[in-house]
């Protein structure tokens, strides 16, 4: 709709407001860009210019990033208070440049904006009216007013009798292959979850289409707004089930003005490793068990070896013998310190050197007549220092207590697991050392890193040498400065010679510190590179799918246990998935966690939901799906065929919408044959969800939604996978099969 279709004062008023808002936004952008340019141009030195630039960027970049991200629809609503005040609501907040910094646009997360989501005719929360503003770019296209004060007889001509027009328009709109935010249509039950307290574990359970993922993302945006100082430093981690899902949700938070969040799969949570390969269900189940922590601990202990039977070390033309009794004493004393393996190595080295020192001292320092020791403390120290320079000593220590990396430890274990697992489990996980990492390997790598620790002596020594070199260089600069000053003032009077130079006000150590490069990475970027980073909050989507070992990894990343877990036990499909909130959380927080449930299905029409529910009820007659808010009148269809690729190609032509997206969900083993019959469709681990037609397997489709869905060979799916596949469509669903149907579909 254009302005000429609404030639009334209300629409004109809102358009003028939007025009003024964007004029301010453009001015802010131009002012910031000019300021940065001026800072670079006016600086007397490159260092000064960089400093001024960094200050300006720090002041402006957050706002500019938000403005750039939400350019399409900065303002989406207005609340009219009974007092006569009006507040416009938007994706971010903006203030005027007057002395009071008057709010021009209220951030949707502010307390004053909350009635926009919660007010009803029964509980108006001080509002007369709630207005939804629909726009395309900067042009207002529609207004929808909800009257909350029933005694107010003023009408604008834009009243929405049901109050659902904006919500239904959003639900029926064509999909783009990217999740959009729901900030304009947040429902009351969703708002309460979004604004729940920051601390502790909150579990959000909901069936397909209940908006739990969108709620979790908006909760992340709200927490970053409400606890900016804390979470900007510690960052928020959002864990998704696969890379396609992260790509699908990747634009939501930027559209809400938040860019400082780390999105990752479990396979990306060990720095330096990006695991996308999948194990067999049997291998994933074994690797995901909580007991794998004890197995890996035993693997580490097995690398703390004893001589077999002795190790001979040549020193000063003598042979020193390390037998298993002597080494075992050193090993047990080292283990008693309860330090990680690599950190404990320093203690082991000390015990072995002391043992060898005693051997040498006894041989060369014992009086042959009375057996007394003739060596003093300095002699003993010299012997120990000489042993510490003997390569054979260090070769023995490396053999008995080697430095280990997590990658080498886990790879060696998986190549030969039979000493630590049952024969059946060993057969499931065994693989060559050269095999690439799988997602289920990453929690094992993290556990191994925790058990091993890091011997940072070499790194500290290298850093100290670099620091000493920088100080020496800085001293040289200061000395040159001092020499130049002395030469400059040697012919001047005494008063002039009292002028201070850099040499007088700063020493070399502090001067060197000032020249060190600052780390300008965001908290999220630094967190991604640091395995030991402690996040301020963690959000986990499809949380029921994670294994106990994956939970150990995540709990280490959040010592405060500030988490939001989102999922649906009825959709648990992974062999290693826990599928029970109490089993997930009991080892870490016992029963100290909150549980809430979303019960309204906004995505899936009732006709499709009935079919999907029948599949689950075939196994669980008591199953109750979420209730759908809409019905399209279009029933899903199920067809048998003798030529599956041809039938799929025909059905794709039938189901592909004029606007929007179609997903063909089929077992992975059929993808190559199906892709060959579908123009422009490819098979792969990371599909491009923005294409009109995409080919997925059931696991890849988790958390996604499409206008139309074609499910192929449902008899090959497990119940959970089939339930997921059947509930991805917002409009139309078709099912094709050559093999027998699951009982639930036959009955339906």
């Amino acid at each position: 709709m254009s302005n000429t279709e609404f030639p009334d004062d209300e629409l004109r008023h809102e358009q003028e407001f939007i025009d003024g808002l964007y004029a301010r936004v453009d001015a802010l952008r131009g002012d910031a860009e000019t300021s940065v340019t001026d800072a670079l141009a006016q600086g007397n030195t490159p260092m000064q210019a960089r400093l001024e630039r960094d200050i300006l960027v720090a002041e402006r970049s957050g706002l500019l990033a938000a403005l750039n991200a939400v350019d399409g629809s900065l303002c989406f609503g207005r609340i009219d208070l009974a007092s006569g005040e009006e507040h416009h609501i938007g994706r971010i907040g903006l203030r005027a440049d007057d002395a009071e910094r008057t709010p021009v646009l209220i951030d949707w997360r502010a307390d004053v904006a909350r009635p926009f989501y919660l007010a009803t005719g029964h509980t108006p929360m001080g509002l007369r009216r709630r207005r939804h503003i629909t726009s395309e770019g900067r042009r207002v296209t529609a207004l929808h007013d909800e009257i909350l004060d029933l005694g107010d007889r003023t009408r604008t001509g834009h009243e929405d009798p049901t109050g659902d027009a904006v919500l239904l328009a959003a639900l029926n709109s064509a999909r783009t292959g990217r999740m959009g935010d729901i900030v304009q249509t947040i429902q009351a039950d969703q708002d309460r979850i979004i604004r729940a307290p920051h601390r502790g574990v909150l579990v959000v359970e909901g069936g397909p289409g209940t908006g739990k993922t969108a709620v979790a993302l908006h909760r992340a945006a709200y927490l970053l707004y409400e606890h900016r100082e804390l979470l900007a430093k510690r960052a928020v981690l959002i864990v998704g089930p696969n890379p396609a899902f992260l790509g699908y949700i990747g634009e939501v938070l930027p559209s809400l003005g938040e860019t400082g969040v780390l999105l990752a799969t479990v396979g990306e949570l060990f720095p330096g490793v990006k695991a996308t390969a999948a194990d067999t269900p049997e291998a994933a189940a074994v690797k995901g068990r909580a007991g794998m922590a004890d197995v890996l601990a035993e693997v580490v202990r097995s690398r703390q070896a004893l001589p077999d039977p002795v190790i001979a070390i040549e020193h000063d033309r003598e042979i020193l013998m390390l037998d298993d009794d002597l080494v075992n004493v050193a090993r047990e004393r080292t283990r008693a310190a309860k330090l990680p393996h690599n950190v404990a190595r320093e203690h082991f080295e000390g015990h072995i050197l002391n043992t060898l020192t005693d051997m040498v001292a006894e041989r060369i320092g014992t009086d042959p007549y009375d057996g007394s020791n003739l060596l003093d403390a300095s002699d003993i120290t010299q012997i120990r220092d000489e042993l510490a320079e003997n390569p054979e000593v260090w070769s023995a220590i490396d053999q008995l207590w080697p430095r280990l990396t997590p990658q080498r430890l886990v790879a060696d274990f998986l190549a030969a697991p039979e000493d630590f697992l049952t024969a059946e489990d060993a057969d499931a996980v065994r693989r060559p050392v050269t095999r690439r990492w799988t997602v289920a390997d990453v929690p094992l790598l993290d556990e191994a890193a925790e058990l091993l620790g890091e011997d940072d002596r070499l790194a500290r020594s290298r850093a100290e040498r670099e620091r000493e070199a920088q100080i020496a260089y800085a001293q040289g600069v200061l000395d040159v400065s001092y020499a130049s000053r002395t030469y400059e003032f040697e012919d001047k009077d005494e008063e002039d010679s009292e002028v201070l130079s850099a040499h007088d006000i700063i020493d070399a150590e502090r001067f060197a510190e000032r020249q060190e490069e600052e780390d300008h990475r965001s908290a999220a970027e630094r967190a991604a590179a640091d395995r030991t980073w402690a996040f301020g909050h963690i959000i986990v989507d499809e949380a029921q799918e994670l294994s106990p070992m994956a939970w150990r990894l995540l709990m280490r990343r959040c010592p405060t246990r500030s988490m939001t877990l989102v999922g649906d036990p009825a959709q648990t499909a992974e062999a290693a998935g826990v599928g029970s909130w109490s089993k997930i959380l009991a080892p870490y927080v016992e029963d100290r966690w909150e549980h809430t449930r979303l019960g309204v299905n906004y995505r899936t029409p009732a006709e499709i939901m009935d079919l999907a529910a029948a599949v689950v009820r075939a196994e669980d007659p008591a199953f109750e799906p979420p209730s759908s808010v809409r019905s399209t009148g279009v029933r899903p269809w199920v067809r048998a065929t003798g030529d599956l690729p041809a039938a799929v190609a025909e059905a794709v032509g039938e189901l592909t919408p004029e606007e929007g997206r179609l997903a063909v969900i089929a077992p992975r083993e059929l993808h190559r044959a199906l892709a060959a019959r579908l123009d422009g469709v490819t098979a792969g681990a990371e599909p491009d969800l923005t294409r009109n037609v995409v080919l997925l397997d059931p696991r890849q489709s988790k958390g996604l939604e499409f206008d139309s869905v074609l499910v192929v060979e449902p008899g090959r799916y497990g119940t959970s996978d089939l339930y997921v596949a059947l509930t991805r469509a917002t409009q139309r669903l078709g099912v094709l099969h050559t093999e027998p149907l699951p009982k639930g579909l036959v009955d339906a």
Side-chain angles (χ1 to χ4, degrees):
M1 301 176 184
S2 67
N3 289 0
T4 56
E5 293 176 88
F6 285 106
D8 57 77
D9 292 339
E10 291 294 330
L11 186 62
R12 189 175 302 109
H13 170 79
E14 296 299 357
Q15 186 63 61
E16 289 174 354
F17 175 81
I18 296 294
D19 289 341
L21 195 65
Y22 278 105
R24 173 168 173 73
V25 168
D26 292 340
L28 281 171
R29 286 199 185 106
D31 178 48
E33 291 168 359
T34 301
S35 297
V36 172
T37 302
D38 290 346
L40 289 170
Q42 296 172 7
N44 297 326
T45 66
M47 180 72 74
Q48 180 182 345
R50 191 183 73 183
L51 179 61
E52 293 179 2
R53 179 201 64 193
D54 290 345
I55 292 172
L56 286 163
V57 168
E59 292 175 346
R60 301 282 193 175
S61 62
L63 177 60
L64 287 180
L67 292 174
N68 290 332
V70 302
D71 189 33
S73 51
L74 195 58
C75 174
F76 57 79
R78 191 183 89 187
I79 50 177
D80 298 354
L81 280 64
S83 63
E85 291 182 89
E86 296 177 357
H87 294 309
H88 281 86
I89 313 299
R91 286 175 165 78
I92 62 171
L94 288 175
R95 294 181 178 273
D97 288 329
D98 57 28
E100 291 78 21
R101 299 282 289 158
T102 307
V104 175
L105 185 66
I106 303 295
D107 193 298
W108 67 276
R109 298 164 288 190
D111 285 341
V112 71
R114 199 168 190 193
F116 183 80
Y117 301 108
L118 298 183
T120 65
H122 185 265
T123 309
M125 300 178 70
L127 300 190
R128 291 188 305 110
R129 164 189 321 270
R130 170 170 48 218
R131 167 168 290 176
H132 292 271
I133 302 171
T134 304
S135 60
E136 292 179 0
R138 303 186 180 194
R139 186 171 63 89
V140 177
T141 58
L143 305 177
H144 295 87
D145 288 345
E146 296 176 65
I147 305 300
L148 300 173
D149 179 0
L150 301 182
D152 185 352
R153 299 300 178 186
T154 304
R155 295 294 181 265
T156 66
H158 301 289
E159 281 73 26
D160 174 8
T162 66
D164 292 332
V166 174
L167 174 62
L168 291 175
L171 298 179
N172 287 315
S173 63
R175 270 41 192 173
T176 65
R178 293 288 182 263
M179 176 182 276
D181 66 66
I182 60 168
V183 66
Q184 189 171 358
T185 59
I186 293 172
Q187 303 300 293
D189 58 339
Q190 297 172 331
D191 182 80
R192 283 187 283 272
I193 295 171
I194 290 169
R195 298 173 191 262
H198 166 229
R199 296 294 183 183
V201 177
L202 174 65
V203 173
V204 183
E205 183 177 328
T210 53
K212 54 188 181 294
T213 296
V215 166
L217 294 172
H218 288 69
R219 175 163 169 74
Y222 171 76
L223 293 177
L224 285 162
Y225 171 85
E226 189 71 8
H227 306 280
R228 178 74 63 190
E229 185 174 351
L230 169 65
L231 296 183
K233 293 177 181 178
R234 302 311 311 161
V236 173
L237 170 64
I238 297 180
V239 181
N242 54 59
F245 175 83
L246 295 182
Y248 176 66
I249 68 171
E251 295 177 5
V252 174
L253 285 168
S255 77
L256 300 174
E258 298 297 346
T259 56
V261 177
L262 176 62
L263 277 68
T265 66
V266 170
E268 298 169 323
L269 290 178
F270 190 86
V273 171
K274 185 176 181 180
T276 57
D279 280 295
T280 64
E282 295 78 14
V286 173
K287 293 178 182 180
R289 292 176 192 158
M292 283 301 298
D294 295 329
V295 170
L296 288 175
E298 189 58 34
V299 174
V300 172
R301 288 173 65 88
S302 73
R303 302 299 294 271
Q304 299 162 1
L306 295 175
D308 184 22
V310 296
I311 294 178
I313 298 173
E314 182 178 350
H315 180 72
D316 199 17
R317 289 180 288 186
E318 298 249 358
I319 300 299
L320 305 177
M321 307 295 287
L322 277 176
D323 60 30
D324 57 357
D325 287 337
L326 290 172
V327 174
N328 191 51
V329 171
R331 184 174 72 170
E332 293 308 311
R333 287 177 179 173
T334 303
R335 286 176 173 175
K338 298 188 182 302
L339 295 171
H341 173 88
N342 288 332
V343 179
R345 176 181 158 114
E346 184 175 3
H347 293 257
F348 184 76
E349 293 169 1
H351 289 308
I352 293 298
L353 284 170
N354 289 341
T355 298
L356 294 173
T357 300
D358 291 343
M359 284 186 188
V360 174
E362 184 176 356
R363 289 187 183 184
I364 68 174
T366 302
D367 189 311
Y369 297 104
D370 60 12
S372 62
N373 197 303
L374 303 176
L375 304 178
D376 59 20
S378 63
D379 295 326
I380 299 298
T381 299
Q382 182 178 349
I383 293 171
R384 196 179 192 279
D385 290 345
E386 290 172 352
L387 284 165
E389 294 177 358
N390 186 338
E392 291 195 24
V393 172
W394 292 108
S395 177
I397 290 173
D398 288 340
Q399 178 181 336
L400 299 170
W401 198 286
R403 289 188 179 91
L404 299 171
T405 66
Q407 291 90 332
R408 173 52 58 187
L409 184 81
V410 174
D412 289 347
F413 160 65
L414 294 176
E418 53 275 0
D419 291 338
F420 306 97
L421 299 175
T422 66
E424 182 179 1
D425 289 349
D427 288 342
V429 303
R430 185 183 292 106
R431 69 161 193 237
V433 172
T434 55
R435 177 87 175 270
R436 61 178 177 164
W437 298 113
T438 68
V439 174
D441 292 333
V442 168
L444 303 187
L445 291 169
D446 195 74
E447 188 72 28
E450 200 72 11
L451 291 167
L452 295 175
E454 184 176 353
D455 184 353
D456 63 350
R457 285 177 292 168
L458 292 176
R460 284 190 282 113
S461 177
R462 188 183 306 111
E464 184 61 28
R465 289 196 301 272
E466 291 176 356
R467 183 171 180 273
E468 290 173 354
Q470 290 171 350
I471 292 173
Y473 177 78
Q475 185 63 58
V477 172
L478 292 175
D479 290 345
V480 170
S481 171
Y482 180 74
S484 299
R485 171 181 171 273
T486 302
Y487 176 79
E488 180 181 352
F489 288 109
E490 63 182 3
D491 295 329
K492 297 188 177 182
D493 58 34
E494 183 177 341
E495 181 178 348
D496 287 338
S497 67
E498 292 300 317
V499 176
L500 294 176
S501 72
H503 197 282
D504 299 308
I505 60 178
I506 191 170
D507 60 21
E509 185 172 353
R510 183 164 299 181
F511 185 56
E513 289 175 356
R514 289 190 176 183
Q515 306 311 307
E516 292 178 359
E517 285 290 331
E518 294 183 19
D519 188 345
H520 293 290
R521 294 177 299 171
S522 69
E525 290 169 332
R526 285 181 282 124
D530 184 356
R531 192 195 69 83
T532 63
W533 189 274
F535 289 93
H537 194 80
I538 293 181
I539 293 174
V540 186
D541 207 321
E542 302 293 350
Q544 76 282 350
E545 302 287 11
L546 269 60
S547 70
M549 287 300 293
W551 283 113
R552 287 177 65 88
L553 179 156
L554 289 178
M555 292 297 174
R556 279 194 284 269
R557 300 293 197 277
C558 192
T560 61
R561 306 293 190 257
S562 179
M563 293 181 162
T564 303
L565 312 184
V566 180
D568 179 13
Q571 297 184 62
T572 305
E574 296 292 342
V578 178
S580 165
W581 304 124
S582 59
K583 288 182 180 178
I584 289 170
L585 296 171
Y588 306 102
V589 295
E590 297 179 344
D591 60 351
R592 300 186 302 277
W593 49 281
E594 298 292 329
H595 178 273
T596 187
R597 183 173 179 82
L598 294 168
V600 178
N601 187 334
Y602 297 100
R603 175 204 303 144
T604 317
E607 294 85 355
I608 295 176
M609 200 65 219
D610 289 343
L611 181 69
V615 170
V616 182
R617 287 198 184 107
E619 283 191 3
D620 179 9
F623 173 73
E624 285 297 329
S627 57
S628 298
V629 298
R630 64 196 174 102
S631 174
T632 61
V634 180
R635 297 192 61 80
W637 51 258
V638 180
R639 297 175 188 164
T641 180
D643 185 347
L644 192 63
V648 168
E650 181 180 349
V652 165
E654 175 185 341
L655 289 171
T656 301
E658 292 184 9
E659 296 182 359
R661 302 294 181 271
L662 164 69
V664 178
I665 302 178
R668 180 61 66 90
E669 61 270 18
L670 299 179
H671 281 199
R672 188 183 298 274
L674 296 181
R677 295 294 296 269
L678 300 174
D679 292 338
V681 176
T682 59
E686 298 188 28
D688 181 0
L689 299 177
T690 63
R691 299 182 69 87
N692 289 338
V693 180
V694 294
L695 181 59
L696 308 169
D697 65 35
R699 304 289 171 88
Q700 289 176 310
S701 73
K702 289 183 78 70
L704 309 182
E705 61 182 31
F706 305 89
D707 300 89
S708 301
V709 170
L710 178 64
V711 176
V712 180
E713 293 293 18
R716 299 192 188 185
Y717 304 170
T719 299
S720 294
D721 282 339
L722 182 54
Y723 182 54
V724 168
L726 293 173
T727 53
R728 300 304 96 193
T730 65
Q731 301 294 337
R732 296 190 293 172
L733 171 69
V735 179
L736 280 174
H737 67 101
T738 62
E739 301 171 4
L741 290 170
K743 184 177 185 302
L745 284 181
V746 172
D747 293 344

